[in-house]
Amino acid sequence: MFTEELVREHTYVPRIVEEAEGEKRSMTLPSADPPGEAGRAMTHSDFGYLSSQAAAVTPRVNDEPLVSDLVPQALSWSSLNGLVIGDKNHKRSGTVPGIGLVHAPFSLLPSPFPRQAFSQAIELAPLFNLLADRVSQDAEFLQQTLARTRKADHFIARLLDIHLQMLDEGMKQKIRLGLHRSDYMLDTATGELLQVEINTIASSFPALGSLVASLHRHLIDWCGDGLGLEAENVPQNGAVDAFAQAFALAWKEYGDNRAVVLMVVCPEERNMYDQYWLALKLFQSYGIKMIRKSFTQVLAEGTLGDNNTLFIGKQVVSVVYYRAGYSPDDYPSESEWDARLLLERSAAVKCPNISYHLAGAKKIQQELAKPGVVERFFENKEDITKVRSCFAGLWGLDDENSAAIIEEAIRNPEGFVLKPQREGGGNNIYGADVSKKLVELRDTDGGVGLAAYILMQRIFPPVHPAYLVHDGIWSCEETVSELGIFSAYIRNGNKEVLNTEAGYLLRTKSSQTNEGGVAAGYAVLDSVHLI
Ligand code: ADP
Ligand code: HGS
């Protein structure tokens, strides 16, 4: 277990709903005309505060002296323990390690999170590993589900082309390595834990996420009972060790002791320390080296030897781990695509390979939510129910029954999020822009552009006060949180080598912010205080 076994069976019923109802706040999806000032966009704060019980463990908001005492403690701890990123104001901070560092944005104290929902998310991890693996093996499902999307989205089309090419040429490697992160939000309206998305490529912050939990446990110890928080209710977060173990197991399955692990990175990367931590843990714990190369460097230094063995220079590569390649921005020219194809053709274990990458597309998430589709991949009724229990409302816009939901979303945009097939934060459409974009897509070229998007029920998580620390400055804000559960999966042919949860990530943002993502500057790193 990489997430400390704190999940005791509680007959815990989410109080969120009761309290809010008590306080006569509307809990259903926003009606056509949102309450409050005419035209004011609905924000998370319109939907229910965390229960008073949860609020009780939230930091004392106006305890200025305490906070002013705690912040320097937290900032120094972050610098001393590598909870850092490259400073955007420093030119070389994305290319030269050790230059222009700043603490990673974090929440000063852990955020309350229902224990039962946390354990549910942990329990789902091995199931989503299996689902991603089985979907990835169903080439027909992938190609068919994305058939219309490819016509409206050139990036997805390129990925599907590589997939077809590999099917045609035959995949040279039967070992599969998945390092995923499934993101969830609590839905105030129903008290349910709903899946926002699953990332099957470049899931960030396993290392810095692990460090924030340690920071919070340190601050709680440092403060004694001054905070009214129990360090034991902040689960240890072993994500960085779990990732290192997964790399080492895949390396061992490949079976070449000379080999190294290759991390494919962006030419400029301010989140390099989250990445270097993985390399350090892999070397310290298993004596295996991890090298970093951009697609351009892969094309320049990469060759395929006998049996498609991948060489970077003279080094044999047994595992390729992508921390780039999930966005069209990562392929500014054909040479990046050539590098991707070279890696895909190689005998190295890819994390992810092209079919795992496609299995994480938002259109696939939406298709899986359709009645009877999970049954294509799971027989066990209990597993099917568990997986489905966290599905939010998801709609495709490219089939004959899409017209109704499109009209509903145009009329009632606040209840939806419009999502393209993109990753990395900052791509989704919210609020009134949902109507505008849908009308534009519907009324252009016969609506073909609609196939590049999915519609998702907007989730309104409970709001809680928190101290957010950016660039050494703290502010107390009303916030909402998103829980990510990392998971690791290794299969060698028919042999399942590893199937486990691999730690967690909590990201917290102002309740006034639509988008999420730490790297994109919307959220901060956080950890959970289980209630
Ligand atoms: P990406 O792959 O770009 O990170 P996500 O689907 O994770 O895309 O969305 C990015 C952010 O948008 C999430 O971190 C979350 O803050 C917000 N978001 C996404 N879907 C929803 C939703 N259904 N309801 C509320 N917020 C959402
Ligand atoms: C890296 N620069 C992700 N990954 O996890 N996004 C956030 O760190 O290697 O910022 O909150 C790359 C996506 C949420 C992290 C960033 C999944 C990246 O954006 C990689 S595709």
Side-chain angles (χ1 to χ4, degrees):
M1 283 296 278
F2 289 97
T3 305
E4 188 181 357
E5 184 56 47
L6 263 176
V7 184
R8 292 182 292 280
E9 281 314 311
H10 265 283
T11 50
Y12 175 84
V13 178
R15 292 179 179 284
I16 304 170
V17 178
E18 285 143 15
E19 305 281 350
E21 262 143 19
E23 292 160 15
K24 296 277 166 281
R25 285 177 180 263
S26 85
M27 282 305 146
T28 54
L29 267 184
S31 59
D33 42 11
E37 307 82 71
R40 171 175 66 73
M42 302 288 282
T43 68
H44 294 296
S45 311
D46 286 317
F47 292 83
Y49 270 78
L50 273 175
S51 74
S52 52
Q53 182 205 24
V57 298
T58 300
R60 289 190 293 253
V61 282
N62 48 19
D63 199 325
E64 195 86 25
L66 173 75
V67 174
S68 315
D69 215 15
L70 220 46
V71 168
Q73 185 57 223
L75 293 174
S76 54
W77 189 98
S78 303
S79 312
L80 294 172
N81 290 279
L83 180 54
V84 291
I85 57 172
D87 181 347
K88 60 181 176 301
N89 308 315
H90 199 293
K91 238 180 7 354
R92 294 186 299 146
S93 66
T95 52
V96 186
I99 299 295
L101 290 77
V102 63
H103 71 85
F106 59 78
S107 170
L108 184 60
L109 291 165
S111 290
F113 202 89
R115 198 179 292 278
Q116 185 165 356
F118 187 77
S119 64
Q120 179 193 358
I122 296 280
E123 219 181 306
L124 282 167
L127 291 176
F128 276 113
N129 281 346
L130 284 176
L131 185 57
D133 183 56
R134 292 174 185 174
V135 167
S136 76
Q137 295 178 71
D138 192 333
E140 188 202 7
F141 177 77
L142 288 174
Q143 288 285 337
Q144 268 180 7
T145 304
L146 293 163
R148 289 200 192 107
T149 309
R150 91 173 1 251
K151 296 200 181 82
D153 184 324
H154 65 89
F155 181 59
I156 293 290
R158 292 300 299 259
L159 296 176
L160 287 168
D161 290 345
I162 292 180
H163 183 234
L164 285 175
Q165 205 162 343
M166 297 327 312
L167 292 171
D168 195 35
E169 296 175 11
M171 304 246 184
K172 300 290 180 295
Q173 178 49 260
K174 57 181 175 28
I175 302 170
R176 295 287 174 273
L177 169 59
L179 287 171
H180 313 312
R181 194 192 68 237
S182 185
D183 295 331
Y184 302 93
M185 278 178 163
L186 282 172
D187 180 42
T188 309
T190 59
E192 285 170 340
L193 182 81
L194 296 179
Q195 184 184 48
V196 172
E197 68 152 352
I198 184 165
N199 297 285
T200 59
I201 184 169
S203 298
S204 306
F205 297 120
L208 300 193
S210 302
L211 284 169
V212 173
S214 307
L215 164 66
H216 287 158
R217 292 166 72 96
H218 162 70
L219 294 176
I220 294 171
D221 292 344
W222 192 75
C223 265
D225 57 11
L227 288 171
L229 298 174
E230 311 296 331
E232 62 169 38
N233 288 334
V234 179
Q236 296 271 16
N237 187 347
V240 66
D241 299 309
F243 274 50
Q245 183 207 41
F247 293 131
L249 282 172
W251 180 90
K252 186 161 165 285
E253 286 294 317
Y254 182 93
D256 184 332
N257 291 351
R258 305 166 300 156
V260 299
V261 173
L262 164 65
M263 181 189 285
V264 181
V265 296
C266 304
E268 233 186 281
E269 178 57 75
R270 289 195 311 114
N271 193 25
M272 62 170 77
Y273 304 99
D274 184 59
Q275 300 170 349
Y276 273 115
W277 265 117
L278 292 172
L280 184 62
K281 289 283 180 180
L282 182 62
F283 186 73
Q284 285 177 338
S285 311
Y286 305 95
I288 300 167
K289 282 201 179 139
M290 183 183 271
I291 60 173
R292 302 165 60 79
K293 297 288 179 184
S294 67
F295 277 129
T296 311
Q297 292 167 318
V298 166
L299 198 62
E301 304 165 29
T303 54
L304 298 185
D306 298 351
N307 309 321
N308 284 57
T309 302
L310 174 64
F311 287 90
I312 297 289
K314 293 200 171 18
Q315 290 177 304
V316 176
V317 172
S318 57
V319 177
V320 173
Y321 168 50
Y322 291 99
R323 288 291 288 254
Y326 50 88
S327 161
D329 305 341
D330 298 332
Y331 305 83
S333 74
E334 276 311 308
S335 52
E336 286 79 16
W337 284 111
D338 296 343
R340 177 78 193 251
L341 192 56
L342 177 110
L343 296 172
E344 212 58 52
R345 279 189 168 131
S346 79
V349 180
K350 270 79 68 187
C351 178
N353 73 354
I354 190 66
S355 48
Y356 261 54
H357 185 171
L358 288 167
K362 292 176 172 63
K363 179 67 186 170
I364 299 295
Q365 177 191 6
Q366 176 258 311
E367 189 71 18
L368 287 169
K370 280 187 179 169
V373 179
V374 172
E375 286 76 359
R376 181 175 175 145
F377 303 101
F378 280 139
E379 275 132 36
N380 177 304
K381 293 256 171 304
E382 212 188 313
D383 291 347
I384 293 170
T385 309
K386 280 186 187 155
V387 164
R388 264 233 172 83
S389 68
C390 71
F391 285 171
L394 286 158
W395 299 270
L397 307 178
D398 56 350
D399 54 36
E400 49 291 346
N401 343 317
S402 305
I405 194 67
I406 291 172
E407 295 318 310
E408 166 63 20
I410 289 173
R411 259 199 324 280
N412 175 12
E414 300 297 345
F416 299 90
V417 182
L418 186 58
K419 300 191 174 188
Q421 310 305 310
R422 293 291 178 269
E423 300 291 337
N427 308 295
N428 299 337
I429 298 168
Y430 304 83
D433 294 341
V434 169
S435 306
K436 264 192 254 126
K437 187 67 181 176
L438 283 173
V439 169
E440 177 206 317
L441 290 166
R442 181 195 63 192
D443 302 347
T444 312
D445 298 345
V448 288
L450 286 164
Y453 292 81
I454 64 160
L455 263 178
M456 187 171 185
Q457 158 198 355
R458 173 128 190 207
I459 308 165
F460 294 94
V463 174
H464 61 96
Y467 296 100
L468 309 184
V469 187
H470 291 268
D471 295 323
I473 300 162
W474 65 271
S475 61
C476 183
E477 299 186 33
E478 286 194 6
T479 66
V480 294
S481 295
E482 181 174 355
L483 174 69
I485 300 295
F486 292 107
S487 60
Y489 185 78
I490 299 178
R491 178 174 54 76
N492 187 344
N494 301 330
K495 180 181 77 175
E496 188 177 272
V497 177
L498 180 72
N499 184 3
T500 178
E501 57 84 21
Y504 70 95
L505 171 69
L506 192 76
R507 291 174 293 166
T508 294
K509 64 178 183 180
S510 155
S511 61
Q512 305 303 317
T513 306
N514 290 329
E515 256 300 340
V518 174
Y522 300 104
V524 302
L525 297 169
D526 196 353
S527 78
V528 296
H529 186 270
L530 295 180
I531 55 169

